Amino acid sequence: MIERNIAKAISELMLVYPVIALTGPRQSGKTTLLKSMFKDYRYISLENPDNRFFAEQDPNGFLELYNQKVIFDEVQRVPSLFSYIQTLVDESKTMGQFILSGSQNFSLMKNITQSLAGRVALFKLFPFDFEELNSHNLLTPDYSSMLVRGCYPALYDRPMPTTPFYANYIETYVERDLSELLNIKDIRLFRTFLKLCAGRIGQQLNLTNLANETGISIPTVKSWLSILESSYITYQLPPFFNNFNKRLVKSTKLYFYDTGLACYLLGIKSEKSIQESEFKGALFENMVINEYIKQNYHHGLYREFYYWRDSNGHEVDLLVSNETTYDVVEIKATKTILPKLFDGLDLLKNIGKETINRKILVYGGTESQNRSNYKIWAWNSIKIDF
């Protein structure tokens, strides 16, 4: 079994918090991780109708039976439990008393903020990061196969073709979450919306354009995007507009948490298709930013991420906060290092001056270099400084 980097951070904070909450995409390995880490804890899934009925109808009796060293999976399915758990942990003052897990972030976080604020340490587990895959020699030398396959653990646990996996993922998880939170009458329309989102990876989000192409209203676009984000399908990267320049854009950029799912939605099914696709650069950029996000959460680093662009179209793909300074990262799918690849980094260095820490180029090749003014990283060697 591949060890997950997040285990260390969880182990540390469960000593000082009575409740640990782990969320993240469905099929990212949450249940496997918790069962392997906490073998002396009882595991109760609230997806199970019998368990859920017991918890809903008799919460006091339920928590009298399961009152300590318990993992409650998909706990958001019984919202009433959170207030009872609050009372128990306030009375017992036992650290690591409950571990809560859920895949629907909107519902989980709503109940946590209402009942367990200050009592819970929050963690997010994403599909495998590169370090985890590399520890078992599962990181391929060419990025094309990684883009298509994605990083969901099930695809590495056993031989499984990607197309049926992602087709089933959409149908069994995404659409189920959607139907529970929204009353959508036309699933086909939503699938069209998903595909249109995939075609906008790395682009500034234009809600009006997306609404017109899908044939829905702007409020519906906002609602559907919110559900995709709460289900860990997509996320939005905000622009940086602190003091670098007064003429900066304010639109977010859209990305998917897993490029394998995005490739499936775009009809890309092979490495050859990636190389011929107009989306190759955007998907590569998406994969690299995903790796930064995964390392950030898996190691408990609490960094913030932005992109930078001014009104003249000058852009840097990623800014990574590091206390009072920033790493600026340019991301290019090319395997050849050319002088023009550094233009954006140099521009931002001149504007930002002392606020810029490192200038990093992440590219599609396999050789990393340390130059006088730049760090050049192969795509599979990304590592945030801890």
Side-chain angles (χ1 to χ4, degrees), residues 242-278:
N242 229 8
N243 296 317
F244 283 177
N245 195 307
K246 294 181 180 179
R247 296 173 298 131
L248 299 177
V249 298
K250 297 182 180 180
S251 299
T252 60
K253 292 173 72 172
L254 186 66
Y255 294 96
F256 275 64
Y257 276 112
D258 191 83
T259 59
L261 180 59
C263 283
Y264 167 76
L265 291 168
L266 292 168
I268 299 172
K269 300 178 180 179
S270 68
E271 298 175 34
K272 181 181 178 182
S273 297
I274 280 286
Q275 293 303 319
E276 297 172 349
S277 174
E278 62 179 301

Side-chain angles (χ1 to χ4, degrees), residues 198-234:
R200 285 165 168 75
I201 284 175
Q203 296 180 20
Q204 292 175 348
L205 190 56
N206 186 319
L207 298 178
T208 301
N209 180 273
L210 186 53
N212 290 339
E213 285 199 41
T214 310
I216 56 179
S217 66
I218 292 178
T220 300
V221 168
K222 292 179 179 179
S223 178
W224 288 6
L225 283 172
S226 175
I227 297 305
L228 289 180
E229 291 179 21
S230 70
S231 299
Y232 294 104
I233 302 299
T234 65

Side-chain angles (χ1 to χ4, degrees), residues 240 242-244 301-304 306 319-328 349 352-358:
F240 185 94
N242 229 8
N243 296 317
F244 283 177
L301 302 178
Y302 305 102
R303 303 291 171 80
E304 294 180 344
Y306 310 89
L319 272 70
V320 184
S321 70
N322 183 14
E323 296 183 359
T324 58
T325 63
Y326 295 86
D327 285 347
V328 294
K349 178 68 175 180
K353 297 182 180 178
E354 73 281 354
T355 58
I356 301 303
N357 180 25
R358 297 181 300 179

Side-chain angles (χ1 to χ4, degrees), residues 151-220:
C151 295
Y152 282 97
L155 294 167
Y156 296 89
D157 289 342
R158 55 195 181 276
M160 181 183 295
T162 58
T163 298
F165 173 81
Y166 287 115
N168 288 321
Y169 192 90
I170 291 290
E171 186 168 347
T172 58
Y173 294 126
V174 179
E175 291 179 1
R176 186 181 72 169
D177 283 349
L178 190 74
S179 63
E180 288 179 354
L181 295 172
L182 296 171
N183 182 22
I184 292 184
K185 298 178 181 179
D186 192 344
I187 290 297
R188 289 178 298 177
L189 189 62
F190 178 73
R191 290 193 178 196
T192 298
F193 176 77
L194 260 180
K195 292 178 181 180
L196 289 171
C197 286
R200 285 165 168 75
I201 284 175
Q203 296 180 20
Q204 292 175 348
L205 190 56
N206 186 319
L207 298 178
T208 301
N209 180 273
L210 186 53
N212 290 339
E213 285 199 41
T214 310
I216 56 179
S217 66
I218 292 178
T220 300

Side-chain angles (χ1 to χ4, degrees), residues 261-322:
L261 180 59
C263 283
Y264 167 76
L265 291 168
L266 292 168
I268 299 172
K269 300 178 180 179
S270 68
E271 298 175 34
K272 181 181 178 182
S273 297
I274 280 286
Q275 293 303 319
E276 297 172 349
S277 174
E278 62 179 301
F279 298 107
K280 180 180 74 170
L283 287 166
F284 181 80
E285 178 183 315
N286 196 157
M287 179 182 69
V288 171
I289 295 175
N290 285 352
E291 182 59 19
Y292 272 94
I293 289 173
K294 290 176 187 178
Q295 289 190 25
N296 183 55
Y297 284 108
H298 291 175
H299 290 283
L301 302 178
Y302 305 102
R303 303 291 171 80
E304 294 180 344
F305 303 98
Y306 310 89
Y307 79 95
W308 180 90
R309 180 170 180 160
D310 68 14
S311 57
N312 295 319
H314 301 122
E315 183 172 327
V316 172
D317 296 318
L318 185 66
L319 272 70
V320 184
S321 70
N322 183 14

Side-chain angles (χ1 to χ4, degrees), residues 126-165:
F126 291 98
F128 291 137
D129 61 46
F130 289 169
E131 184 181 3
E132 291 166 343
L133 288 172
N134 201 37
S135 69
H136 281 63
N137 298 315
L138 294 172
L139 195 60
T140 60
D142 188 273
Y143 66 79
S144 298
S145 59
M146 291 302 305
L147 289 176
V148 176
R149 192 160 189 79
C151 295
Y152 282 97
L155 294 167
Y156 296 89
D157 289 342
R158 55 195 181 276
M160 181 183 295
T162 58
T163 298
F165 173 81

